Amino acid sequence: MKNLDVFNYVVILVSIILALGIGGIIEGFAKSLKHIKNVSFYPLHSLISCLLFLLQIQYWIGTFEERDLNTWSFLYILVLLLSPVGYYLVSEIIFPEISGEEKVDLKKYYWKQNRMIYGIAAFIQMNNFIADLLINTKGNLIDNIIRLLAMLVLVSLCIVNKPVFHYFCSALLLALFITFVVFSSPSISV
């Protein structure tokens, strides 16, 4: 099988899982807006939800770098799939059930769920770091420094439950994401 054929085969599954996660974020925002009278928004929740949406799109774009890979081992495919699965789990957890019949306080929900959300997110960053070490397609030091910094920030968010700290770390995560996109994201061209 040609490299691109194997790549297409694998990336279809990655794309399906990411689409489910992205759909979950869109659905959460849509239901929140649909029942806006009963939903109390929280800036941290909205920021992290938007960042999760962007991270999934960036991950999908990043998989394009694997198109020239010569060897696709089961281990690498498994590691490659674990991140989209993690993104999907966070996407399902990040919004509560919103039916429109009862009041939803996203601030309370955020503080109830933040450790699970950030714990899974830290795992995703660790997994991406491991995937890069397994294949080392570019050996990009900047990518892995950003991943490790993000993982440290995410773990600290699991430990410290102070609003000011969460706002600071959310801004730091956004800055790390922007840095990653500017310096590391591949450009897709045919």
Side-chain angles (χ1 to χ4, degrees), residues 137-158:
T137 52
K138 292 190 314 182
N140 193 341
L141 183 62
I142 294 172
D143 290 7
N144 285 325
I145 289 172
I146 292 170
R147 287 181 183 120
L148 290 174
L149 287 172
M151 189 170 61
L152 289 171
V153 171
L154 292 162
V155 168
S156 68
L157 284 166
C158 291

Side-chain angles (χ1 to χ4, degrees), residues 9-63:
Y9 183 74
V10 173
V11 84
I12 287 171
L13 188 53
V14 169
S15 298
I16 290 168
I17 298 168
L18 287 171
L20 290 169
I22 291 168
I25 295 293
I26 294 169
E27 181 182 15
F29 275 119
K31 285 185 176 181
S32 297
L33 293 173
K34 182 178 179 181
H35 304 291
I36 198 162
K37 290 182 181 179
N38 291 334
V39 177
S40 174
F41 287 89
Y42 185 50
L44 272 174
H45 180 270
S46 297
L47 176 64
I48 293 303
S49 299
C50 289
L51 187 56
L52 177 61
F53 176 81
L54 294 172
L55 282 164
Q56 291 180 84
I57 292 170
Q58 190 286 322
Y59 187 87
W60 178 75
I61 292 168
T63 59

